[in-house]
Structure formats: structure tokens, C-alpha cells
Amino acid sequence: MDRNPSPPCSDAEEEEGDAVGNTVYSKHWLFSVLTRLIEVIAPAEPDPAASPEGARTELDEEMENDICKVWDMSMDEDVALFLQEFNAPDIFMGVFAKSKCPRLTEICVGILGNMACFQDICMSISKDENLGQVLLQRLCDSDSPTLLETSRLLLTCLSQPEVANVWVERIRENPSVYDCVCFIMSSSTNVDLLVKVGEVVDKLFDLDEELMLNWIKNGTCQSVGPSVDDSPEELPDFKIVPCILEAAKQVRSDNPEGLDVYMHILQLLTTVDEGIQAIVQAPDGGKETWSLLYDLVCQELCQPDDPPIIVQEQKTVLASILSVLSAMFASQTEQEYTRMRKSKKTLYMPLIGSLIRILQYMEGCGKRAVDNSKESKQEETGRTEINEEDFHLKILKDICCELLSNMLQELTKENTLEGLHQGHLNEQTCSCAFQNLLPLYFASVESFLEVLREADQTLADNLEKRFPSLKVHT
């Protein structure tokens, strides 16, 4: 972190055997800092600087500088192993139990986060049940920097396949984690924290569908929430979808990567029926979700004044958003957001126009990259492969075409006239749509062409000439 001082230059070379592993850091210096840390949380005599409860609320400058140096040094594996051998995690447990100093708690969690980057240490930390429980309790902290470091530590552990299941099970068995995470997502304005918490939730849902289902169905369990003292604080009745939406609104302008994370969380929810229902059966009938995603597609992402290459940069977030919109649209018959959309036709055609523009931009970036894997580069062996970038573009195209085909089937003559008037529909855009939808979505194209013929016979005739297969079936 920028605010931390650089690690010290050690004189370990002058004292044979004092160096930590292959580093130039001094074992004696590290030992002395950890010893002083123990004294901070368990002083032999009362400290006049301590709070009335007997614990320091602030670190003195020298101690803070030294422990921050340890934080920086802990990114080195030899130092991390030395800290592990010295039972630093147990010392930090004492800090979490006794310290009233938020900065000290933040630093100690941060050191553990660095140590957890190394597999053996991560396994040791993860298998310590007491430490695991204490770390999860840090999610109920009221200090944003501590919450950020706790989230970073959890994400590091969840990213290690050897221990991920240990943490998933631990979190599943701790209802307070759900409430604390929802509290952060729904109330924090700290974008860095929201992004990191979102990454934790995204990873959890990706790892374990059962946990995701539990969180979808969950309300509050009268858990202990963030508090400035030791008294429990009852949290409101959180629902996962509104919390995700609130966090997404906070990060949408300041952090594109964070928006991508929260859109992917919504997409994961739509992989199960319960998740789709949680979205479309919200008290507002899903209008808030639809409105946010609609605005992102129609007003912010892949806009007319953007270069076509923008679709490469935004392909993953667009795929997530369109996937959720597609799932919501498929549930349209009973949902209020659809009745709202149909009654306000201005909310209908711009989305279709945006979908066609996305397809046009993908063609502009290179049609070969998104048509299908047969057009991807072949190696000398003759085996067809598609690179990761092309793969994500193909996913985006597939999702885009599915949603577009479903929407075209719902168009009325009035909608179509509106689209023609607004410029969303013309020979160029319709040709692009047909080119991408045929032959897979022939029925949708045919249905739309019949409506188009009522609105603009000349345009319909021109399209039939460009796509002879349609004329054969009409």
C-alpha cells in the first residue's frame, strides 16, 4: 500500500546466521517487533495512553512504522515462513481479541493476507478453526480498511483449490457472514472495499451453488453486525439482489472492473430458477434491476460514438448484462417490469438498437473472431482451436442473438414504426440482425418480417431480396 513505509535495509550480513532465509532481513529485528507487538496487546503495566477499558486505541508512530515494515516484508516467502514459525498467526489472534486499535487490526489482517499467498501457509491458516472463525468475525468490523484486508485475505484463500472448500463450508455455517456482506454492499461508499467484497461473493457463488441458493433464500438471522463497541447490533432484513444492485450503482462510474464483478454475480444468480425468481419477483417486480441494466447497455456501454474495438474491452460485462436481461425477458409474462416496458415504448426499441449495434461492432472487429469456431485459426495438426478472446466474443454474440430474437418476436406494428422513426431500424441495422440471426432464429426473423411489412413494405421487400431464404418461406 502506498501509505506504508518501505521495508528496512537490514544489517543481517554483519551478523552471521541472522538473515531470514535468502533475504537481507534480520531475524532479530523481526523477533523484536513481534515481541513489542505482544507487549502492546498485553502490557505488563497500565499504559496512561490507553483507553478507559485498558487497551490502546492508537499506535505510537515508531510501532506503526515497524509493523508496517513487517507488512511489506511479509510479501517475501522466506519472511512469511519465518513469521509462521514464530507463531505470528497466534499473536494476531491476540490482537483481534484484545486490540481496540483499528489500524493495528488492519495491519495484522494485511500481514496474514500476504502470508496466505503462499500455499503451505495458506493451508495452515485455513485449517486453524479458531483463526478461521475470528477472521470471519472481522467482516463485522466497522473499520473499512480492516474490512478491505479481510476481504482480500478471504479471496486469496478461496482462490487456493486446496483450501477453498474449507472456507466455503465455514462461511456456509456462519449466517453472520451473509448479513455482514450484505450490509457492506448496501451501505458502503468505499469503492475499493465494494469491489473486493464483490470478488469474494462472485468466487463463493462460482464455487458452491448450494451456498448461493442459501443466500438467495436468506433473510437476516439476527446476526451481529458492524458496531463501534462490543454490543450486538441487529441488522435489517437483507435480500441479496437489492444489495448487489446498490453496490453496482456505487462502483459503476468509478471502477469498470468492479461493475464487471457485480454483473457477473447477477449472471450467476440467473443460472438457477431461484435466482431468476429473486430478481423478477422483487417488491418492485424487477424494475430496478431492469432499469439499471437497460441504462448500462443503452446509455453507457458500446455507444454510437465509441470505436468498434470497444466491444473487445467490454465483452465480459456486456455478456453478463445481456444474459441477465435475457433471463428476465424470458420471464416476462407475469412481470410488472415488462408491462411497464410495453406501456412506455421508448424503453423498448433503444435496447434492440443497442443489441444490433453490438453485433455491428463485433463484425467491425473481425467477423471471423465471432462467427463460430470453424473459422478460427487451425494449427498445423489440423486441430481447430479458438483463443480465449474469440471465445468470450462468441459467447457475447450468442447471448446477444438470443435476446434480440426474443425481442423481435414481441414487436408490434406500433413498436416497429417507433423503431423506424427513431432510427433504430433501417435497412442496414435489419440486415445486420438478419445476418446474425439466420438460420438459427429463422422463426423470429420471419415473425418480425411480417410485422415490418405492415410498417414499411418497401423495407421488407428489400430485405427479402437480400435474404432469399425468407422469400421462399413467405
Side-chain angles (χ1 to χ4, degrees):
M1 297 178 63
D2 293 339
R3 59 181 169 165
N4 293 341
S6 299
C9 295
S10 173
D11 296 328
E13 294 177 353
E14 299 177 5
E15 194 171 333
E16 187 176 353
D18 188 46
V20 178
N22 293 321
T23 74
V24 295
Y25 303 133
S26 166
K27 291 180 181 178
H28 180 268
W29 184 85
L30 277 168
F31 181 86
S32 68
V33 174
L34 292 174
T35 300
R36 286 159 54 206
L37 180 59
I38 295 173
E39 293 172 353
V40 167
I41 59 176
E45 298 180 2
D47 189 332
S51 66
E53 291 80 12
R56 293 173 183 256
T57 57
E58 300 290 340
L59 282 174
D60 64 65
E61 185 176 352
E62 181 183 0
M63 183 63 197
E64 181 171 353
N65 285 339
D66 285 346
I67 196 67
C68 280
K69 291 174 183 177
V70 176
W71 189 359
D72 288 335
M73 294 162 61
S74 63
M75 290 187 288
D76 186 288
E77 186 172 10
D78 287 333
V79 174
L81 288 169
F82 176 82
L83 293 173
Q84 177 76 1
E85 293 170 3
F86 193 76
N87 294 322
D90 290 339
I91 298 174
F92 299 152
M93 283 264 288
V95 171
F96 303 148
K98 300 179 181 180
S99 174
K100 298 289 185 180
C101 175
R103 176 63 170 153
L104 180 58
T105 302
E106 173 204 355
I107 295 169
C108 291
V109 177
I111 294 172
L112 278 175
N114 284 349
M115 295 171 64
C117 292
F118 306 105
Q119 183 177 344
D120 290 343
I121 300 177
C122 186
M123 292 181 67
S124 176
I125 291 173
S126 301
K127 291 179 180 178
D128 187 329
E129 186 62 28
N130 290 332
L131 180 58
Q133 295 295 336
V134 169
L135 288 173
L136 290 184
Q137 291 172 10
R138 292 300 95 212
L139 287 173
C140 296
D141 207 292
S142 59
D143 181 60
S144 290
T146 298
L147 289 170
L148 178 60
E149 292 306 317
T150 303
S151 301
R152 185 174 72 89
L153 170 58
L154 289 177
L155 184 62
T156 299
C157 294
L158 289 169
S159 300
Q160 296 269 7
E162 297 79 10
V163 298
N165 288 339
V166 173
W167 285 99
V168 169
E169 183 64 27
R170 188 174 285 147
I171 291 170
R172 191 189 297 133
E173 293 175 354
N174 281 268
S176 64
V177 174
Y178 169 86
D179 285 320
C180 292
V181 166
C182 284
F183 181 84
I184 294 169
M185 291 193 297
S186 62
S187 62
S188 179
T189 57
N190 185 317
V191 171
D192 291 337
L193 173 58
L194 288 172
V195 173
K196 194 59 64 177
V197 167
E199 290 175 344
V200 171
V201 174
D202 189 42
K203 191 68 175 178
L204 283 170
F205 286 3
D206 196 36
L207 286 170
D208 193 80
E209 185 177 293
E210 180 184 347
L211 183 143
M212 182 173 71
L213 286 169
N214 289 341
W215 282 26
I216 289 170
K217 300 171 184 176
N218 212 348
T220 187
C221 297
Q222 294 188 351
S223 306
V224 176
S227 177
V228 295
D229 50 34
D230 291 331
S231 60
E233 179 179 311
E234 186 174 330
L235 295 175
D237 185 12
F238 288 119
K239 299 298 182 184
I240 190 69
V241 173
C243 295
I244 294 169
L245 293 178
E246 189 60 38
K249 292 174 186 176
Q250 285 289 331
V251 305
R252 64 186 288 186
S253 299
D254 299 326
N255 195 299
E257 292 78 13
L259 180 64
D260 199 343
V261 169
Y262 280 98
M263 293 302 100
H264 190 254
I265 294 173
L266 283 176
Q267 182 182 7
L268 287 174
L269 293 183
T270 64
T271 61
V272 294
D273 290 339
E274 292 86 348
I276 297 174
Q277 296 307 309
I279 293 173
V280 300
Q281 292 184 356
D284 66 351
K287 285 190 289 187
E288 185 177 0
T289 304
W290 182 274
S291 178
L292 174 62
L293 303 186
Y294 175 93
D295 285 346
L296 287 170
V297 175
C298 296
Q299 305 295 332
E300 294 187 22
L301 300 174
C302 205
Q303 292 301 294
D305 55 350
D306 289 328
I309 195 68
I310 194 70
V311 77
Q312 293 273 10
E313 179 184 332
Q314 299 174 350
K315 57 185 178 292
T316 56
V317 67
L318 282 170
S320 294
I321 293 172
L322 297 184
S323 180
V324 178
L325 288 173
S326 185
M328 294 180 72
F329 196 87
S331 303
Q332 66 176 318
T333 53
E334 300 176 5
Q335 303 309 324
E336 175 62 28
Y337 70 83
T338 302
R339 291 194 290 274
M340 173 199 72
R341 192 175 67 248
K342 284 184 175 180
S343 65
K344 298 182 179 180
K345 295 177 183 178
T346 55
L347 295 180
Y348 200 92
M349 288 309 307
L351 181 54
I352 290 179
S354 294
L355 295 176
I356 296 174
R357 182 167 59 251
I358 291 170
L359 293 172
Q360 288 175 317
Y361 280 12
M362 282 193 285
E363 290 178 348
C365 290
K367 187 177 179 181
R368 181 184 58 82
V370 294
D371 275 346
N372 71 52
S373 59
K374 291 182 180 179
E375 297 180 11
S376 64
K377 183 172 66 176
Q378 289 195 357
E379 296 184 338
E380 292 181 2
T381 59
R383 180 166 53 93
T384 299
E385 290 191 351
I386 185 167
N387 63 41
E388 184 176 355
E389 184 175 274
D390 290 352
F391 176 72
H392 286 296
L393 281 172
K394 186 177 186 305
I395 289 176
L396 174 58
K397 178 186 175 181
D398 291 344
I399 296 171
C400 189
C401 287
E402 181 181 6
L403 177 56
L404 179 60
S405 69
N406 288 336
M407 296 190 75
L408 288 180
Q409 281 190 308
E410 296 292 324
L411 285 179
T412 63
K413 177 182 177 181
E414 290 73 19
N415 297 146
T416 305
L417 286 169
E418 177 191 24
L420 292 167
H421 176 71
Q422 294 178 346
H424 298 300
L425 297 179
N426 53 48
E427 188 166 346
Q428 181 184 17
T429 59
C430 289
S431 294
C432 176
F434 288 11
Q435 182 68 43
N436 284 279
L437 294 178
L438 294 172
L440 183 60
Y441 298 102
F442 182 89
S444 296
V445 173
E446 188 177 42
S447 172
F448 167 65
L449 190 60
E450 291 178 6
V451 175
L452 181 60
R453 187 174 289 106
E454 298 178 24
D456 190 328
Q457 180 69 52
T458 302
L459 176 56
D461 290 342
N462 290 341
L463 289 170
E464 282 187 339
K465 292 176 183 178
R466 296 188 66 171
F467 297 91
S469 61
L470 292 172
K471 191 171 184 179
V472 171
H473 289 81
T474 56

